[in-house]
Amino acid sequence: MTSLYGAATVLQLTPNGAIVCLDALPGTRISLQQSEIVEQAHQAAHSTGAKSATPTQTGAPRLASISDAQFLARKSVEALRFGIVPVGSIREVTIGFAELQDWVVAHLPHNRDGRSHISEVSGAFGSGKSHTMAAIRSIAEEHAYVTAHVEVNGDSVSLSDPEGVLRQLWPTLSASTLESATPVLDVNLEAIENGITQTRAELAQYDRVAANIRMIARLRQLNCLEQFGDELDDFLSCGDALTASQLQRLLYNAISQKDVDWRADPVWIKRLIGLKLQDRPSDFVRCILAYAIVARRAGYKGLVLTIDEFEVEYHLSQAKFDRLLQTLEALELDLGGEPVPLTVFIATVGSDGRDDDSVVGALVDATGGSKYHLKPWSARDVMELAGRIHRIYCEAYELSASFEPAMAHAAYRALDSDD
């Protein structure tokens, strides 16, 4: 048993080893060399049709110990196999990373007098916008920001429905020092520990977020927090497991059992997005501004959000598109240089023959942001990336094979052909 992988099930034998599924991470399949399988075991029944031996009969397959760097490289290779951005190797697999990093850092709040704004990343379909947004979050986290991301789809996740966006956005909350199953709750707790409830001035304009923080602080003080951690995190993430009134009753009952006079200093849980349709855009903007303040009080520099696939928003019904414009108007009004450490990066395809999107471009200009255009890749860029992936693969599997540009060119031509 190793501290990195642990037990695994052999799914399929390969000429040089086997493909296995990690027991500790169900569904995670990785390819191993024969030397890395410490104990040989039978293949899984569904890959051979034969009855596989139980762990007690043969012992589960054990994987050889590997270095942290090799483990990271292997995770990156497996991410690439499934078309997922290899976040652990994002610097290595991003062509032009240094230029992008300079642009991102220049537009983080601490380099803009701690003020909020919107910036845009544009590019044609397939130009790597989603990859770039992942790189932006990685850069932001390296500079001590909390990040969160969302991909709108023009249906269940659309800026025309601010609560639906937050429901997808907040569970992705991440930071270099934040490892938690309840990230939203934990960022609130870190802010409470750093004194955000000692004065109401910081969140005076953001009553919904402020009310929830006061409730969390009360539960923490009464040692009632642990039993409601999951419910609170879901509610703070705009989940729909419990309504505000249902959660309020649960919390009220817990506090009442502590022989506390609720009426002496009542606190109430509040929805982040209100029920009134006309108020939802401003509630949304006030929420993300408030959480930038909470992130700063929690010990981070602020909050960075990325919104991807904006182009799908143009396929909304007229009623939804009108609500989308209301949300964008609220963003323009409230993010224009507010002294709040928040940057929102929006990825677009561009429109009307322009590099940028006309609607998002207007938001960027109004809030004092900036635009970054992704240029088409050259053949040289493709070969550079191929060589970098080759190096990662060699590190993952301890290979010494040299990179063969001719083979990479052939593979590129085959992928790029119309056949």
Side-chain angles (χ1 to χ4, degrees):
M1 178 71 70
T2 73
S3 60
L4 292 175
Y5 279 128
T9 302
V10 177
L11 300 177
Q12 179 182 347
L13 296 178
T14 64
N16 299 316
I19 296 174
V20 304
C21 181
L22 303 184
D23 290 3
L25 297 171
T28 302
R29 302 155 63 101
I30 62 174
S31 178
L32 299 175
Q33 299 296 306
Q34 186 174 359
S35 61
E36 296 167 334
I37 302 177
V38 178
E39 295 181 9
Q40 185 64 48
H42 296 292
Q43 290 172 269
H46 64 266
S47 65
T48 64
K51 181 179 179 180
S52 61
T54 64
T56 55
Q57 290 173 317
T58 65
R62 308 298 183 187
L63 309 183
S65 178
I66 60 177
S67 68
D68 289 346
Q70 189 179 357
F71 179 61
L72 180 62
R74 196 162 298 178
K75 284 177 62 180
S76 297
V77 168
E78 295 306 317
L80 289 168
R81 290 188 202 277
F82 289 95
I84 301 170
V85 177
V87 178
S89 301
I90 194 75
R91 183 182 296 268
E92 290 81 0
V93 298
T94 303
I95 302 298
F97 184 88
E99 176 188 338
L100 174 66
Q101 179 174 243
D102 289 344
W103 179 77
V104 172
V105 172
H107 293 88
L108 293 176
H110 72 274
N111 280 326
R112 298 177 59 86
D113 298 323
R115 295 183 178 274
S116 62
H117 73 283
I118 296 171
S119 284
E120 177 185 12
V121 174
S122 64
F125 289 106
S127 59
K129 293 186 296 299
S130 296
H131 180 104
T132 301
M133 299 304 258
I136 288 172
R137 294 192 298 274
S138 177
I139 294 166
E141 290 186 20
E142 286 181 359
H143 285 79
Y145 283 85
V146 177
T147 71
H149 60 95
V150 65
E151 291 185 9
V152 293
N153 60 23
D155 184 17
S156 59
V157 186
S158 167
L159 288 168
S160 64
D161 173 21
E163 190 169 37
V165 170
L166 291 181
R167 188 175 296 123
Q168 298 298 318
L169 185 72
W170 288 146
T172 71
L173 214 62
S174 175
S176 59
T177 58
L178 179 65
E179 295 184 7
S180 170
T182 54
V184 183
L185 176 59
D186 283 358
V187 169
N188 279 277
L189 285 170
E190 289 174 355
I192 291 169
E193 290 174 2
N194 289 335
I196 198 169
T197 57
Q198 293 174 8
T199 172
R200 297 190 176 184
E202 283 181 288
L203 297 176
Q205 303 179 59
Y206 313 108
D207 57 315
R208 295 179 181 277
V209 171
N212 292 339
I213 286 180
R214 288 196 295 272
M215 174 63 85
I216 295 167
R218 176 69 62 84
L219 293 169
R220 179 173 174 266
Q221 180 184 19
L222 298 173
N223 296 317
C224 295
L225 193 59
E226 185 172 348
Q227 68 188 100
F228 298 111
D230 290 339
E231 289 84 356
L232 275 168
D233 192 75
D234 180 77
F235 183 81
L236 296 170
S237 304
C238 292
D240 52 10
L242 292 171
T243 65
S245 58
Q246 289 171 334
L247 181 56
Q248 183 73 38
R249 281 195 295 270
L250 285 176
L251 302 179
Y252 173 80
N253 290 336
I255 292 176
S256 297
Q257 292 173 12
K258 297 288 184 177
D259 294 325
V260 174
D261 184 0
W262 177 276
R263 294 168 296 181
D265 184 18
V267 288
W268 306 93
I269 203 83
K270 289 192 175 184
R271 292 166 54 102
L272 293 176
I273 304 294
L275 295 175
K276 293 182 179 179
L277 198 61
Q278 67 270 23
D279 293 339
R280 292 181 180 181
S282 60
D283 285 347
F284 170 74
V285 179
R286 284 149 59 95
C287 178
I288 60 176
L289 285 168
Y291 266 96
I293 294 171
V294 172
R296 179 176 60 193
R297 176 60 85 156
Y300 305 97
K301 287 184 179 178
L303 178 64
V304 169
L305 306 179
T306 64
I307 300 174
D308 203 358
E309 307 288 347
F310 182 82
E311 62 275 6
V312 302
E313 298 282 36
Y314 291 114
H315 302 292
L316 300 173
S317 66
Q318 188 60 52
K320 284 188 174 183
F321 189 74
D322 290 342
R323 292 199 291 273
L324 165 71
L325 293 179
Q326 291 169 6
T327 301
L328 297 180
E329 181 180 2
L331 285 167
E332 180 178 336
L333 289 173
D334 292 336
L335 263 67
E338 281 293 308
V340 174
L342 169 69
T343 300
V344 179
F345 292 93
I346 302 178
T348 73
V349 170
S351 62
D352 303 325
R354 302 164 38 152
D355 286 343
D356 66 334
D357 180 278
S358 58
V359 174
V360 175
L363 276 178
V364 172
D365 294 338
T367 62
S370 181
K371 302 169 185 177
Y372 189 91
H373 183 64
L374 298 173
K375 299 176 182 178
W377 282 19
S378 65
R380 182 176 180 178
D381 291 334
V382 173
M383 287 303 103
E384 172 65 22
L385 179 60
R388 294 184 185 189
I389 293 175
H390 172 81
R391 289 194 292 273
I392 293 172
Y393 191 92
C394 287
E395 181 174 15
Y397 298 107
E398 295 183 308
L399 303 176
S400 58
S402 60
F403 176 60
E404 297 183 13
M407 183 178 294
H409 274 293
Y412 176 64
R413 286 195 299 271
L415 291 171
D416 197 43
S417 68
D418 294 329
D419 297 335

